[in-house]
Structures are given as C-alpha cells and as structure tokens.
Amino acid sequence: MDTSYYHNFITLVQTGNMTQAAELLHITQPALSKQLKYLEAEFGTPLLHIKRGQRGSNLQLTDAGRIFYEKAQQLCSIEESTYNAVKQLNSKIEGTLRIAASASRSTSLIQDSIKNFSVKYPSVRYEIYEGLMANVTSQLISGSAEIGICNEQMVDIEKFDIIHTEDEDLYALFRTDVFWTNREKESLSWTDIRKCPLSLSGGSVRMIMQSPLADLSTLNVVSITTTRSSAIEWAAETGRTVALVPMDIKEHVHFRKVTRLRLPEFSGTFRKAFIVLKGHSLSPVAQQFIDFYKANA
C-alpha cells in the first residue's frame, strides 16, 4: 500500500504551512498542492481551508479533513508498526538510532546512556540532531529523528506523544576553589545562593519564574544563556559565577574543580520528556533504546 500521500497530508497539517511542509518533505510546493487536490477529489470534499497571504499557520482542517487526518494517522501507524513487527523477527538489534535534543541534553545522553547502549548493541549507528525546541520538533515532523528530548512543559500534545518522563531538579554548579571553600554542604538553599553572581540557562529562568520562592529581578544575574552548557562554562572557566541549571540525578559534571549541589526547594517543578510524533510507532532500534533507558533509569 502506498500511503505517501497520507504521510504528506499529516505533515502538512502538523506544520500548518504549505511552504514549510514542502521543504520538510523535500518536494516542491506545487507537487504537494497537487497531492492535496487529488485527495480532495478522491473523497469529493475539501479537507483544508487555505488562508492566503498570512504568515505562520495558514491551514485549517474542515470537518471532513479532521476525520481524514485522524484516520490517516491511525493507518500510517498500523503500517509502520506492522513493518517494525516483521523486522523485529530478526533478534539482532541494528539500524540507526535518530534522536533530536538540545546540545546540553545530548552531551549527557551520549556520556551516559548511549555509551552503555552502544556496548550492548555494537551494530547500531547514531544520528544525533542538536538544536532548540523548534529544531527538535522540526526534526521529528520531517522524520529525520524518531525521538525528541525536551522540557515536558514545552510539548505540544496536539502533535506529539510523551513516551517517558523524568524529574529534573535545579542544581547550582560552581568552582570549589571560589565558592563555599570552607564548608561541606550536601545541598543549597535559596538563601545560600540568591546573593551570589549567577549564570542562568533558559531552563533555570523558567523554573525560577514559575516558583513563588524567587523574584528574578532581585537576583545578581551576570549572564543568561540559551543552553545550560554555556551557563556552566561561565561558572567553570571564569570562576565568577554560580551556574543554575536543571539536571537529572544521573548526570555528571565533567569540569575540573566544579561541583554541583541540588536546591531542594525547587524539586518537582521540572520534567524531562522523551517525545515522538503523534501516532508514530517506534522502530525496533528506537524501542529497544527506550526500554534500555527506562531499565537503567
């Protein structure tokens, strides 16, 4: 069964834009428009309302289009799961594991989970796509990646399914030869760090803004960076700041003279999510990785 038109229609709806969908699918816009007209002729009714001359999302599903979109997702998912089930008859796990994540998350993923997974399954190859949340979702929609890793609060549940989550806490990372040099501490309180010069990641800014404990405007913020790796660099290389970043308990710090301590007052406010395109059935290698990750969490 050739379901390519169905797949392309799903991508068109998920991007909400004819030009963007054509770029993701690597086909021309007239070709995609022709496919849409073919489907509408086949069903004898419009599937989409197209608003001309507007930026961003300019497509709206008709009632018939909404039914077709839902059924197309189900059909494509069945086709994909059938293919994967047959492929899985071969017990050897191989293929390419394709993941999209922010640069700071991918580093810890490679250092911990992928390193161990690759030892157990040496035939697996890897494609890791790094970027901001928009890049992660774009890679999933285009099919370049199967699994995305991001902040749970930023997931569009209309387009993506969450298949696994993990708690993340707010940690302070600092040079032990600069801050709290004479004290042994197992954790830090907000009182301990609120007067310190701080380097914040985008994630820590969101955690602080959502908490009743802290007012961002009263903090001594030296830098705010998009990624937590850059925030940590400020603390590690200059020694001028305490970096505040969300991390999970398994992650490690790989900077000399830098340690991390948890801020318990911010526990339970952030979760890391593993996401897939809605209705997408994971390939055998991706499913094996998720099972491996959960078993070792």
Side-chain angles (χ1 to χ4, degrees), residues 170-197:
L170 189 63
Y171 281 87
L173 288 87
F174 54 90
R175 288 263 295 267
T176 54
D177 59 336
V178 178
F179 296 95
W180 297 291
T181 57
N182 298 320
R183 288 189 290 172
E184 290 291 331
K185 302 176 75 70
E186 294 183 357
S187 65
L188 291 173
S189 69
W190 188 244
T191 303
D192 288 327
I193 61 96
R194 64 183 177 184
K195 297 302 181 183
C196 294

Side-chain angles (χ1 to χ4, degrees), residues 29-224:
Q29 186 173 332
L32 184 58
S33 180
K34 186 176 179 180
Q35 290 182 15
L36 175 61
K37 290 178 181 177
Y38 173 84
L39 290 171
E40 291 181 329
E42 183 74 14
F43 291 104
T45 185
L47 300 176
L48 289 173
H49 289 311
I50 302 177
K51 299 177 182 179
R52 304 290 181 184
Q54 294 191 11
R55 294 182 179 179
S57 180
N58 58 11
L59 303 176
Q60 184 176 2
L61 285 165
T62 64
D63 290 341
R66 187 168 291 103
I67 292 172
F68 176 67
Y69 174 62
E70 292 173 356
K71 299 299 182 183
Q73 284 184 307
Q74 293 173 14
L75 182 62
C76 291
S77 179
I78 291 170
E79 179 193 37
E80 194 169 20
S81 63
T82 301
Y83 174 81
N84 290 338
V86 174
K87 286 280 288 182
Q88 230 167 354
L89 289 174
N90 176 6
S91 60
K92 184 180 180 181
I93 298 298
E94 56 186 3
T96 302
L97 180 62
R98 296 173 288 115
I99 297 175
S102 66
S104 53
R105 293 186 190 278
S106 63
T107 300
S108 60
L109 186 73
I110 292 168
Q111 290 170 341
D112 300 322
S113 302
I114 288 181
K115 180 181 70 175
N116 296 328
F117 186 76
S118 65
V119 172
K120 188 170 184 179
Y121 303 104
S123 298
V124 174
R125 299 179 300 277
Y126 302 88
E127 292 179 10
I128 310 296
Y129 299 93
E130 299 174 327
L132 302 178
M133 184 63 181
N135 304 112
V136 172
T137 58
S138 176
Q139 296 291 350
L140 292 173
I141 290 172
S142 69
S144 297
E146 276 195 274
I147 300 169
I149 305 175
C150 59
N151 173 6
E152 183 185 33
Q153 294 171 311
M154 299 178 70
V155 178
D156 182 350
I157 58 174
E158 294 290 323
K159 296 180 179 179
F160 302 98
D161 290 324
I162 298 173
I163 59 174
H164 179 65
T165 61
E166 281 188 326
D167 287 332
E168 288 188 319
D169 292 314
L170 189 63
Y171 281 87
L173 288 87
F174 54 90
R175 288 263 295 267
T176 54
D177 59 336
V178 178
F179 296 95
W180 297 291
T181 57
N182 298 320
R183 288 189 290 172
E184 290 291 331
K185 302 176 75 70
E186 294 183 357
S187 65
L188 291 173
S189 69
W190 188 244
T191 303
D192 288 327
I193 61 96
R194 64 183 177 184
K195 297 302 181 183
C196 294
L198 301 173
S199 53
L200 307 180
S201 68
S204 66
V205 169
R206 286 191 293 272
M207 291 181 82
I208 292 169
M209 291 181 67
Q210 292 167 11
S211 171
L213 297 172
D215 181 353
L216 194 64
S217 64
T218 65
L219 301 179
N220 180 14
V221 179
V222 175
S223 70
I224 297 178

Side-chain angles (χ1 to χ4, degrees), residues 250-291:
K250 299 191 306 295
E251 294 181 61
H252 303 289
V253 179
H254 297 278
F255 288 92
R256 183 171 172 267
K257 293 185 179 180
V258 172
T259 192
R260 71 169 189 169
L261 291 177
R262 190 168 67 95
L263 278 74
E265 294 148 302
F266 287 83
S267 295
T269 60
F270 236 50
R271 294 178 72 83
K272 175 171 64 179
F274 288 67
I275 64 173
V276 297
L277 196 62
K278 205 163 191 68
H280 174 74
S281 179
L282 289 176
S283 67
V285 65
Q287 186 61 61
Q288 192 69 29
F289 175 74
I290 290 296
D291 293 342

